Amino acid sequence: MNIKFLGTGGAFDFEKGNASAIVEVSGKNILIDCGFSTLSVLAKHELAGDIDYILLTHLHADHFGSLPMLLGYIQHRLKQPTPKLIVPTKEFQADITDLLRIMRPGTPAEFVAVSNFSKIEFIETTNQHAEGMRSFAYYFTDDDHLIYYSGDIGNADVAADFLGDRTESNIQVFHETSPRLEIGSHTSYKEVEQKLGKYDPYVYHIAKENMPADCTLKYVEDYPEFLFN
């Protein structure tokens, strides 16, 4: 099991690309999020046709924006069956369906419940990134290995509470962060340091040049093993 990022930035970190990753688990490639820059990166690296399933953390444009075109690209340009969207709840499936209908009517979309996957689970974080918006963190397990992916969230408590009960010896934490200490919709780097530091987390959804000099966290963008080059 491994994870590699297609982009590590936030909505306006154009050179870094929207935060998005592919997790390989049980021989399947799971795309996490598909923002407005994601399709171009997938096409550049000829990865679009290798995606088996898609997970979404929430429906902001920098996490969803190129999904309709990705599905169309795979169907019409690559002439392949489109990957199914893994959904944690029926309500979230309905939200995705409605948005696809607005953005690109006729977009092919098939759904499968996350409960069908023994190694993929979720934590609902609704209202903890944006009021009224459904959002989710995901984690992946394989034997004694756990990968935790926070999605966008305004605190580190969800991850800290969840991880405190885990017994895996190999826990990799990927958490979004912000240079701002009192933003509410994203987790400040200080809070990630204080509450998750013992897990030696990697942070994303930020360009490191925008971070304060006293940040001690590891930036995903600095680790080639987590990037598609």
Side-chain angles (χ1 to χ4, degrees):
M1 185 170 68
N2 63 72
I3 183 171
K4 285 192 173 185
F5 281 70
L6 297 156
T8 61
F12 307 119
D13 300 312
F14 303 116
E15 293 184 0
K16 312 293 179 178
N18 300 144
S20 178
I22 294 177
V23 178
E24 186 278 321
V25 57
S26 298
K28 300 296 183 181
N29 292 317
I30 317 296
L31 173 66
I32 308 177
D33 284 339
C34 190
F36 45 79
S37 70
T38 305
L39 174 55
S40 62
V41 180
L42 287 168
K44 174 184 175 182
H45 294 286
E46 298 184 345
L47 293 168
D50 296 332
I51 298 169
D52 296 297
Y53 297 97
I54 298 170
L55 276 172
L56 299 172
T57 60
H58 63 293
L59 300 184
H60 278 156
D62 56 324
H63 296 262
F64 176 89
S66 70
L67 178 64
M69 299 311 297
L70 170 62
L71 296 175
Y73 177 83
I74 292 172
Q75 181 187 45
H76 299 295
R77 180 65 62 86
L78 301 183
K79 307 298 184 184
Q80 294 181 203
T82 55
K84 294 181 180 180
L85 282 81
I86 302 173
V87 288
T89 67
K90 287 191 175 297
E91 293 80 7
F92 194 49
Q93 177 177 329
D95 291 346
I96 296 169
T97 300
D98 288 344
L99 198 49
L100 287 172
R101 187 181 299 118
I102 293 168
M103 293 182 68
R104 191 170 185 266
T107 298
E110 293 186 65
F111 298 91
V112 58
V114 72
S115 57
N116 289 316
F117 299 84
S118 62
K119 297 183 178 182
I120 307 172
E121 299 189 58
F122 73 95
I123 301 171
E124 185 161 1
T125 60
T126 295
N127 295 321
Q128 297 186 59
H129 171 52
E131 186 66 28
M133 172 167 279
R134 282 183 248 276
S135 59
F136 304 88
Y138 295 99
Y139 59 98
F140 309 82
T141 55
D142 190 10
D143 294 329
D144 207 29
H145 184 190
L146 182 147
I147 293 174
Y148 179 87
Y149 191 95
S150 70
D152 287 1
I153 187 170
N155 65 80
D157 294 324
V158 170
D161 291 345
F162 166 73
L163 293 168
D165 294 328
R166 304 304 300 192
T167 59
E168 289 87 355
S169 63
N170 181 11
I171 295 177
Q172 291 180 298
V173 177
F174 298 88
H175 207 285
E176 61 93 44
T177 195
S178 169
R180 298 169 62 183
L181 301 182
E182 301 294 339
I183 187 173
S185 58
H186 292 287
T187 313
S188 76
Y189 73 102
K190 284 295 186 183
E191 186 172 355
V192 176
E193 288 175 340
Q194 293 165 4
K195 296 181 179 179
L196 300 175
K198 67 179 181 179
Y199 301 105
D200 205 18
Y202 299 90
V203 292
Y204 66 92
H205 206 274
I206 191 68
K208 70 174 184 177
E209 58 267 26
N210 295 332
M211 293 291 286
D214 66 342
C215 179
T216 62
L217 298 168
K218 295 178 176 178
Y219 300 104
V220 169
E221 63 181 276
D222 285 337
Y223 291 83
E225 63 268 34
F226 297 137
L227 304 173
F228 287 101
N229 297 313

